Amino acid sequence: MAEGRTAASARAFELLEPLVLAATVRVHAPVDGYEDPGARRTWGSGFFVAPGWVLTCAHVVGEGGAGVRLAGREVGITFTSGDLGGGIGGTGTGTVAGRVECVLPESLEQRRPGRRGLWELPDLALIRVLAPVTHACVWLTDRARPPRFEDVAYFGCTEDLGMPEITGRTTRLRGAAGAGAAIRLGADDEIVPGMSGGPVVDLARGEVVGVVKARRHEGGGGLAVSIVQLRTLPAATRSQLGLYRRVMQAHDLHHYDQHLSDLNSRRTWTDVQGELPGGDGYGTRLRLTPGERTTLYGLLAELPAPRSSEAVRSLVEAARGEEPDSSGPAPLSWRDGLGLLYDPPGGVSEAAAMLRYATDVSVTDHREPPAPGADEELWDWVRATAERLWRPLRRELGERHERGLAARDLRRRASAGRVVHGPARAPDALPAGPSVLLEAWSHGWEEVYDWRVSVLGGPDRPAELTPVDSGVRVRPERLPEVLRAPLAEAFRRCDTHEAAALLEVAVAPELFALAVDEWAVTGDVPVGVQRPVVHRFPADGPRADEPHRAAERWARVLAGPVLDQRADCSRGRPRSPSYGWLAGLPDHIVPVSCRSADCEPALGALHAARRAGYGIVLCRRPPPGETSCAAFHRGLREELAEAGRGAPLPLRLQSLRVRAHGHDPDAYWSAGLGLVWEDPARPLPEDEPLQGDL
């Protein structure tokens, strides 16, 4: 141990070291035939986070040059086999092939740093093992924020004795970096190159909190990536489980099985966590014991994954008594919700908050039926665990469970004849939950933009806004890059297993020309292909002159039938429509602007349509060099006739983008097509725009 470490940290290191060594691996090139794995140069380290899954740094699997694709690459993994102990290169080791499942961020596939350059955060890679092997797994933290100023140990592959060996060293955390994506490691001991990708273990709590990333060339110490960044793994497509949830479910079930098994006399992570010094509150009314926590995570892992991040946050708020911290990656699993319940306000104990949360989860409506008896087993465990706590809490939990069951039965009876598990919605209707709101403001005197990304509450929570991120003075060509990460985080908070959340772009009409639907947020597929995207007029602008007439127009167009009306052209010639002419058109009309929104005829048409109370307007970014808009108007008229009414237009527009992206010639006319969607059930909060630097 480094000089200055406390006796408690020394004892914790002694207890945790065998467990971490058993789960930490050496990453190298694939082994051919009977070749000795030790002959392969070490690329870096990694560690098993779940059966068959190894976590490391992206730069570790990036060995071999910038021309090598990372995702899908095969690597060699040498590990401690069957929990036998021993260092790499000693007895009890095995080697297996692995394939890189994905890297974070995904942009590393196209943009990598130069030699000896620092790879972009979070710099993570998840490797799938290609053969069934017996191995140990680390325990991953569930806390939403990386710890600060704690004693930690970091592990990885070294060659101090001339042979590859997994070793551990200790230091102290020195705070966060990279907006919480990384944690700083102190200079108490040396970080050698082969340790990149190894685990960083919090000695106070006995959990892995980071992945060793880099060392400082001057002053010692280094950086580690926060484990919380695993939540930024690529999102699932509709009705799929998602890689993060899949891995964490396997992680929790592994430790649950290890805890319940009496076939192995070796100490588990749960056993050691209960033996760590300084575990104040364990076994008392303040906190769940490590065994209780492991059991709770295992029972939650037996249930279907949450419908959305917002579903988790709402249950956390109900159990905690206040809105949870919204900074950092969104909670995606039931375990992530428990991680938001530490240190609750008002003197509420962690144990009470977690049992309330588990009670609410046991009576929630899942997106698919749980395994028979899984929710009842969770409630039985809550009731049994509460026996050691206060009698008033036991009574409160019982009443909470009864109310939850009654509310669930009411929802199921109301949805009789429809899908029982998960919210039912019409196939052509937008998701009813929260949406992502992107706002942008231009500086009139120079070509830069201020922006803000938020989560808009939706019809159930009208005008409720949860900020995600914001920025000022961004050049237009940099907007797609700058907004990629904030939009991805907002989508993680809003997407459900049933549908991708709506993206609402609230900008002044002249900014409707921004090609937001063509930006890539996750992967290389445009965001307008992945989800519905609509325009909104900013909340601080002028509203309809006759609100009652606007409500009538909205209801009439939604119900259909609808008819398009050219607003800024007449037989292909540009024109600026008058407000009086647009206001006098029938209620079933949808105005169409076929010119770029930043030109005078189209801008006049959009402003006039807003004043006249049109909640649905079709607009466009014409393709370069277009000489005739006839094909566009012809295709749009056919599309509206097929739709029959206004309600399905956002999803039909997304389908058109999917077809055009798939090179369907019959959909090329729709290039640049946009939709203004002023849904009165989704009001925008009236807020002041961002101000630039003073």
Side-chain angles (χ1 to χ4, degrees):
M1 297 290 289
E3 186 177 355
R5 295 293 78 135
T6 66
S9 295
R11 176 57 179 161
F13 183 89
E14 181 183 350
L15 290 169
L16 290 165
E17 183 184 29
L19 299 176
V20 186
L21 292 180
T24 306
V25 306
R26 182 170 73 96
V27 181
H28 49 81
V31 177
D32 295 328
Y34 295 99
E35 179 184 5
D36 180 10
R40 290 286 185 171
R41 182 176 65 87
T42 298
W43 290 355
S45 305
F47 51 99
F48 281 104
V49 294
W53 293 99
V54 169
L55 181 64
T56 184
C57 284
H59 76 263
V60 169
V61 301
E63 288 282 342
V68 179
R69 179 169 174 79
L70 301 180
R73 186 180 192 189
E74 288 201 8
V75 300
I77 297 170
T78 299
F79 64 101
T80 301
S81 175
D83 296 346
L84 296 176
I88 297 297
T91 60
T93 64
T95 297
V96 68
R99 180 176 295 122
V100 179
E101 187 76 9
C102 68
V103 295
L104 294 174
E106 295 175 284
S107 58
L108 287 175
E109 292 287 11
Q110 292 79 35
R111 185 178 63 253
R112 302 184 200 172
R115 183 173 175 79
R116 299 187 182 278
L118 198 64
W119 285 49
E120 182 181 353
L121 287 169
D123 186 18
L124 293 177
L126 195 61
I127 302 172
R128 181 202 301 267
V129 175
L130 299 181
V133 293
T134 302
H135 59 78
C137 295
V138 302
W139 175 277
L140 297 178
T141 184
D142 59 346
R143 297 172 188 260
R145 286 180 174 271
R148 301 188 179 193
F149 312 114
E150 295 278 0
D151 289 340
V152 296
Y154 56 94
F155 294 78
C157 186
T158 64
E159 296 190 19
D160 295 339
L161 301 178
M163 59 183 293
E165 180 184 21
I166 301 297
T167 62
R169 302 172 183 188
T170 61
T171 187
R172 189 170 176 82
L173 298 183
R174 300 298 181 188
I183 44 183
R184 301 184 185 277
L185 301 177
D188 304 75
D189 211 333
E190 183 183 8
I191 301 174
V192 299
M195 302 185 87
S196 289
V200 178
V201 184
D202 180 350
L203 293 176
R205 300 182 179 94
E207 53 192 28
V208 173
V209 298
V211 185
V212 177
K213 171 177 170 58
R215 61 173 179 167
R216 297 188 188 93
H217 294 293
E218 297 181 4
L223 284 177
V225 182
S226 170
I227 282 294
V228 181
Q229 294 300 307
L230 269 178
R231 299 184 195 175
T232 65
L233 283 168
T237 57
R238 193 177 306 175
S239 80
Q240 291 183 342
L241 185 56
L243 191 54
Y244 172 78
R245 289 178 173 129
R246 178 181 174 188
V247 170
M248 295 312 301
Q249 181 184 51
H251 168 278
D252 289 340
L253 290 175
H254 167 82
H255 287 288
Y256 180 47
D257 293 342
Q258 292 288 311
H259 176 58
L260 293 182
S261 175
D262 56 3
L263 300 179
N264 193 334
S265 61
R266 293 184 180 276
R267 284 186 295 184
T268 66
W269 277 82
T270 305
D271 297 333
V272 169
Q273 286 169 343
E275 299 173 16
L276 292 176
D280 296 337
Y282 284 140
T284 72
R285 295 179 175 184
L286 298 179
R287 301 177 185 173
L288 297 180
T289 67
E292 289 169 342
R293 187 180 59 178
T294 299
T295 301
L296 175 55
Y297 287 2
L299 294 173
L300 291 175
E302 297 276 13
L303 297 174
R307 295 194 307 270
S308 68
S309 169
E310 286 298 303
V312 176
R313 289 180 61 83
S314 64
L315 294 188
V316 168
E317 183 173 353
R320 187 179 174 88
E322 69 172 7
E323 185 177 355
D325 182 10
S326 61
S327 62
L332 301 177
S333 67
W334 297 126
R335 126 191 280 266
D336 296 341
L338 286 170
L340 292 171
L341 292 172
Y342 292 102
D343 303 317
V348 177
S349 75
E350 289 175 3
M354 290 183 176
L355 292 179
R356 288 172 183 146
Y357 173 81
T359 300
D360 292 346
V361 173
S362 73
V363 294
T364 194
D365 278 316
H366 298 288
R367 65 184 183 91
E368 59 188 27
D375 45 2
E376 290 90 347
E377 186 178 3
L378 174 60
W379 165 242
D380 290 342
W381 176 87
V382 170
R383 185 169 49 190
T385 303
E387 290 294 329
R388 72 172 180 84
L389 301 176
W390 307 274
R391 185 164 54 87
L393 176 63
R394 298 200 302 270
R395 184 173 62 249
E396 176 201 332
L397 293 176
E399 294 171 352
R400 194 182 192 102
H401 184 256
E402 290 298 325
R403 289 196 305 269
L405 284 178
R408 187 175 69 180
D409 289 342
L410 282 176
R411 290 192 299 270
R412 291 184 176 180
R413 284 199 297 270
S415 62
R418 297 181 294 175
V419 177
V420 171
H421 296 276
R425 69 180 182 97
D428 59 358
L430 285 172
S435 60
V436 176
L437 178 65
L438 168 61
E439 299 169 278
W441 303 271
S442 65
H443 291 257
W445 59 94
E446 53 184 326
E447 200 176 7
V448 292
Y449 297 90
D450 299 344
W451 60 270
R452 178 171 59 192
V453 174
S454 313
V455 171
L456 190 62
D460 293 337
R461 293 176 290 165
E464 180 179 310
L465 204 68
T466 305
V468 175
D469 203 352
S470 61
V472 297
R473 303 184 63 79
V474 180
R475 299 286 300 176
E477 64 273 11
R478 293 196 63 240
L479 278 174
E481 177 186 354
V482 169
L483 285 164
R484 182 176 181 122
L487 286 173
E489 172 60 24
F491 293 147
R492 276 191 290 273
R493 297 187 185 187
C494 296
D495 286 347
T496 70
H497 287 280
E498 289 80 24
L502 172 70
L503 172 58
E504 304 189 64
V505 183
V507 293
E510 56 267 26
L511 299 185
F512 286 0
L514 287 174
V516 177
D517 57 282
E518 296 181 0
W519 297 351
V521 175
T522 55
D524 299 325
V525 180
V527 66
V529 173
Q530 296 178 328
R531 65 187 64 249
V533 178
V534 299
H535 293 294
R536 298 291 302 269
F537 293 119
D540 58 347
R543 312 308 298 175
D545 288 354
E546 300 180 70
H548 69 281
R549 185 68 188 278
E552 292 172 358
R553 287 189 188 279
W554 174 261
R556 179 70 172 82
V557 172
L558 280 190
V562 294
L563 185 65
D564 64 303
Q565 174 64 60
R566 299 189 187 196
D568 61 351
C569 84
S570 176
R571 297 184 180 275
R573 297 177 181 273
R575 70 172 176 186
S576 295
S578 68
Y579 160 72
W581 174 71
L582 273 175
L585 293 176
D587 287 345
H588 67 285
I589 291 296
V590 175
V592 179
S593 172
C594 66
R595 281 166 166 68
S596 180
D598 54 5
C599 72
E600 186 57 39
L603 195 56
L606 291 169
H607 282 298
R610 185 181 193 184
R611 281 189 59 203
Y614 287 94
I616 298 179
V617 182
L618 288 159
C619 55
R620 185 173 72 132
R621 300 183 306 275
E626 181 185 73
T627 58
S628 172
C629 57
F632 167 75
H633 287 290
R634 187 182 309 112
L636 185 58
R637 174 155 292 187
E638 293 175 359
E639 182 70 18
L640 289 177
E642 187 174 338
R645 55 197 180 94
L649 287 182
L651 293 180
R652 291 189 70 94
L653 179 51
Q654 181 191 359
S655 297
L656 283 170
R657 292 184 180 124
V658 171
R659 290 170 54 195
H661 184 70
H663 305 293
D664 181 354
D666 292 336
Y668 286 161
W669 64 267
S670 64
L673 179 60
L675 176 67
V676 178
W677 189 260
E678 287 292 308
D679 187 347
R682 297 178 180 272
L684 299 181
E686 296 186 6
D687 197 3
E688 291 294 326
L690 299 178
Q691 300 297 324
D693 299 333
L694 298 179

